[in-house]
Amino acid sequence: MFSRDVQQKIGFGFLRLSALFVLFILVVILYDIISKGIGVINWEFLTTAPTHGMTKGGIFPAIVGTFSVTVITALLAVPLGMFAAIYLNEYAKQGRVTRIIRMSIRNLAGVPSIVFGLFGLALFVQILGFGTSILSAGLTLGLMTLPVTITASEEALKTIPNSYRNGSLALGVTKWYAIRTNVLPYAIPGMLTGTILGLSRAAGETAPILFTGAAFFLPFLPDSPFSQFMALPYHLYVMSTQHHDIAKVRPLAYGTALVLIALVLSMNMIAILLRYWLRKKAKR
Amino acid sequence: MKRRSSFSRFKEKMIEKFFLLNGLLVVFILVGIFYLLLNESLPTFQEVSIVEFFSSTIWNPTGYHQQSYGIVSLVFSTIVVTVGSLIFSVPLGIACAAYLSEIAPPKAREVLKPTIEILAGIPSVVIGFLGIVLIGPMIARLFNLPNGLNVINGSVLLGIMALPTIISISEDAINAVPDDYKKASLALGATEWQTLVKVTIPAALSGIIAAVMLGMGRAIGETMAVLMATGNAPAFPKSIFSAVRTLTATIGIELGEVAYNTTHYYSLFAVGLVLFVMTFLINIVSDWVLNKYEEAE
């Protein structure tokens, strides 16, 4: 066999290669989409509706739809996630209830996105009667995002030292007053970071909106939360599998993919930069 | 004065209850999902026998003469594609995690960490799109097939999607191995490589197993990538070049076209319930493995 040193060289070489390969995968993905999508992107593509059976025109309604649905998602997932995190980090005592809540959060994070789609169809579309709409789809995505916003908010609360809480409690204020004035203001930027990451994932999801409100094609922009909507991820799905002339719309599909990736990754980037900035501030 | 303080104590109690209720909401949602899936599935079995549902290999709810609701081939397809994805994502993911945690210089970490985060952030529909336009044609050329929409394509895509999960959780597990273990091994004259393979990775094994299970859970539950890139033939896969249709893809394709409150509609909720139970069990087990590992620390 090889000597020990050669063995180590080969072993470490393999690990390096693996890491390089992961980087290579990402580069290939981004290169393919950017190089083939960039040619389609121009002002008209971003600001007009699809025309000529979606073989021409742009993706404006899909951008508007994705934006509207993400707003509903945020309205549901951000406050509920914050409240649940405040309970877990500030009020909860070790015990069975807390353990069950934590287990549920982890399990909810593992529920397949298509199952959320089924749940949203049964609850929001059918039982609550919201129909296939921005509201139903946004609420479905909101529930899906909840584990992320809870975990992120809790992480942010954990970074606030106990002296902040004790300092104000010692002055005789109530617990809620201490949390509200001396914990939350410092935790909110950190909460935002994880929340943006969660929302970016929701904005790119397709399976949960398949049956809760996304539409194949709509000539008009949505005018109320109860309208159906076009969405970027669903539009990409339609353009690449459901369209009758797939070869003809391929460039437009690449353009849609690029816009979608740019949207999701720039939200990611904002979150990562925000986190970086916060860490630097914390060190000072 | 006294009244005000008792009112403020009451207010504090109510505030705490309010937050508790928000915490419990997650439990309600999880139970609610299970309940609704069960509730919407049950009507299926007024027409379809449970035995047929779980033992027939033929899924053909729109058959003209006879409808058939058997999920065996769907479950099998899901497992085949998932196992295929793990075959390359597990060794690659663990190796990458070991590199990150043990030998990567800070500069390499600064590149690799965001790489993994960005990879995790790419929407599944984009990955599925790449399966159609990039990986499919590649597979078709490589193996001389008419098209590349098959088991391998799905496995490659799911592997890519499971990688970030496997890498980041394995890295945490490897990082958590106490330095003393490594120092003891090095002091005994073992090389760094021997220490990594014989001491550090075995010590991190339960964490790595949990990472693999969570990656597997993601792969089983992933919809868009497999829906777009595996060819969608609801039959038993004969080889790794067969087109298949997984549990998730079946729901994704058929639920959009089916009339509400028909047996076919209900049967798709039953498929969803099977999926929910599968991923739930995987999560519970990986949770248990992780907890055991934290206690052992």
Side-chain angles (χ1 to χ4, degrees):
Chain A
M1 272 309 271
F2 302 114
S3 82
R4 297 178 355 149
D5 289 343
V6 176
Q7 211 181 26
Q8 166 147 331
K9 277 222 170 75
I10 296 174
F12 279 9
F14 167 70
L15 298 190
R16 264 185 213 107
L17 220 61
S18 304
L20 266 179
F21 189 65
V22 173
L23 182 63
F24 174 74
I25 293 175
L26 181 70
V27 171
V28 169
I29 292 175
L30 294 182
Y31 174 77
D32 189 65
I33 289 182
I34 294 172
S35 66
K36 292 178 187 154
I38 197 88
V40 192
I41 305 232
N42 54 37
W43 187 244
E44 195 203 336
F45 185 70
L46 296 174
T47 55
T48 59
T51 52
H52 300 85
M54 300 211 282
T55 58
K56 290 214 175 79
I59 52 170
F60 186 60
I63 296 176
V64 173
T66 290
F67 178 77
S68 332
V69 102
T70 309
V71 169
I72 305 262
T73 305
L75 287 177
L76 181 78
V78 176
L80 290 185
M82 271 173 60
F83 295 157
I86 291 174
Y87 175 73
L88 285 171
N89 201 58
E90 308 294 326
Y91 288 101
K93 295 166 195 74
Q94 290 288 333
R96 187 184 288 173
V97 175
T98 310
R99 221 170 47 237
I100 291 176
I101 293 177
R102 289 192 188 283
M103 215 177 79
S104 302
I105 294 172
R106 281 193 296 269
N107 272 297
L108 202 62
V111 171
S113 53
I114 190 101
V115 171
F116 275 102
L118 286 170
F119 179 66
L121 170 61
L123 181 64
F124 300 125
V125 177
Q126 297 250 64
I127 295 174
L128 296 178
F130 298 156
T132 47
S133 62
I134 293 180
L135 187 63
S136 297
L139 294 176
T140 307
L141 287 173
L143 293 185
M144 203 191 77
T145 313
L146 205 50
V148 185
T149 53
I150 295 175
T151 317
S153 305
E154 208 194 339
E155 290 297 319
L157 286 171
K158 269 189 201 151
T159 61
I160 309 302
N162 263 333
S163 53
Y164 283 45
R165 300 176 179 90
N166 297 338
S168 46
L169 286 175
L171 293 174
V173 302
T174 61
K175 189 164 185 173
W176 168 235
Y177 189 83
I179 294 171
R180 190 158 51 94
T181 57
N182 231 8
V183 176
L184 283 185
Y186 304 100
I188 280 178
M191 290 176 164
L192 271 181
T193 321
T195 302
I196 298 171
L197 280 177
L199 290 179
S200 80
R201 203 174 305 162
E205 271 291 349
T206 318
I209 61 172
L210 277 177
F211 345 105
T212 51
F216 191 90
F217 173 72
L218 288 173
F220 307 108
L221 292 181
D223 56 1
S224 90
F226 293 100
S227 321
Q228 283 197 311
F229 60 101
M230 291 180 79
L232 283 172
Y234 185 64
H235 191 61
L236 175 58
Y237 167 64
V238 167
M239 297 283 256
S240 49
T241 61
Q242 310 285 297
H243 197 275
H244 59 88
D245 195 350
I246 283 172
K248 206 168 172 186
V249 297
R250 184 57 40 88
L252 294 178
Y254 263 110
T256 311
L258 179 55
V259 172
L260 178 61
I261 279 207
L263 174 83
V264 169
L265 293 190
S266 54
M267 284 172 85
N268 272 309
M269 210 59 89
I270 291 169
I272 290 171
L273 288 177
L274 190 66
R275 188 175 56 199
Y276 181 75
W277 177 75
L278 284 173
R279 277 203 189 133
K280 244 172 99 180
K281 214 178 82 173
K283 267 186 199 145
R284 255 190 281 135
Chain B
M1 192 66 206
K2 206 172 175 197
R3 259 185 63 203
R4 213 170 96 199
S5 88
S6 83
F7 172 73
S8 109
R9 214 174 304 143
F10 172 74
K11 198 176 122 196
E12 280 294 301
K13 266 262 165 304
M14 290 323 285
I15 289 171
E16 180 170 351
K17 287 269 177 302
F18 168 76
F19 285 124
L20 169 64
L21 213 63
N22 273 289
L24 287 174
L25 188 67
V26 191
V27 185
F28 295 147
I29 295 171
L30 196 66
V31 174
I33 291 177
F34 179 73
Y35 171 77
L36 265 189
L37 285 178
L38 190 67
N39 196 43
E40 297 286 289
S41 306
L42 285 178
T44 314
F45 302 108
Q46 290 169 354
E47 259 185 56
V48 184
S49 85
I50 284 198
V51 180
E52 184 201 333
F53 189 75
F54 286 106
S55 67
S56 162
T57 58
I58 300 164
W59 178 266
N60 186 14
T62 51
Y64 184 69
H65 294 292
Q66 185 163 19
Q67 293 89 18
S68 178
Y69 296 89
I71 60 165
V72 174
S73 65
L74 308 180
V75 172
F76 185 73
S77 302
T78 300
I79 292 172
V80 167
V81 178
T82 302
V83 169
S85 75
L86 294 178
I87 286 174
F88 89 92
S89 62
V90 168
L92 186 61
I94 295 174
C96 192
Y99 174 79
L100 265 173
S101 138
E102 301 297 294
I103 55 178
K107 274 257 180 302
R109 285 181 61 88
E110 266 171 41
V111 176
L112 216 50
K113 281 292 228 178
T115 298
I116 294 160
E117 273 181 66
I118 294 174
L119 206 56
I122 295 179
S124 58
V125 69
V126 173
I127 301 276
F129 177 64
L130 287 167
I132 297 175
V133 296
L134 188 69
I135 295 168
M138 237 147 69
I139 292 171
R141 230 173 307 143
L142 203 61
F143 299 102
N144 218 357
L145 304 164
N147 71 60
L149 301 180
N150 53 30
V151 174
I152 313 182
N153 196 340
S155 292
V156 170
L157 300 181
L158 289 188
I160 293 174
M161 302 190 71
L163 264 180
T165 311
I166 297 177
I167 295 173
S168 53
I169 298 175
S170 303
E171 195 209 341
D172 288 345
I174 295 173
N175 258 333
V177 174
D179 256 357
D180 299 354
Y181 289 25
K182 296 169 206 166
K183 282 184 188 145
S185 162
L186 292 172
L188 287 170
T191 62
E192 282 178 62
W193 170 251
Q194 285 169 327
T195 304
L196 176 68
V197 175
K198 301 231 166 95
V199 177
T200 312
I201 289 189
L205 199 61
S206 47
I208 293 175
I209 290 173
V212 170
M213 295 197 63
L214 288 174
M216 185 164 91
R218 274 212 69 176
I220 289 179
E222 171 47 42
T223 308
M224 295 321 286
V226 285
L227 192 162
M228 294 162 81
T230 56
N232 289 321
F236 223 78
K238 293 191 186 66
S239 80
I240 53 171
F241 301 117
S242 307
V244 290
R245 183 189 274 189
T246 62
L247 291 165
T248 50
T250 305
I251 303 172
I253 291 167
E254 294 178 13
L255 196 56
E257 294 163 357
V258 74
Y260 287 176
N261 307 332
T262 56
T263 302
H264 187 184
Y265 173 87
Y266 294 128
S267 74
L268 293 172
F269 278 85
V271 173
L273 184 63
V274 171
L275 202 57
F276 178 83
V277 171
M278 279 169 80
T279 49
F280 188 80
L281 290 178
I282 289 173
N283 281 318
I284 292 277
V285 174
S286 63
D287 221 45
W288 179 76
V289 172
L290 265 182
N291 274 336
K292 223 178 102 187
Y293 152 83
E294 268 158 19
E295 274 162 28
E297 282 298 302

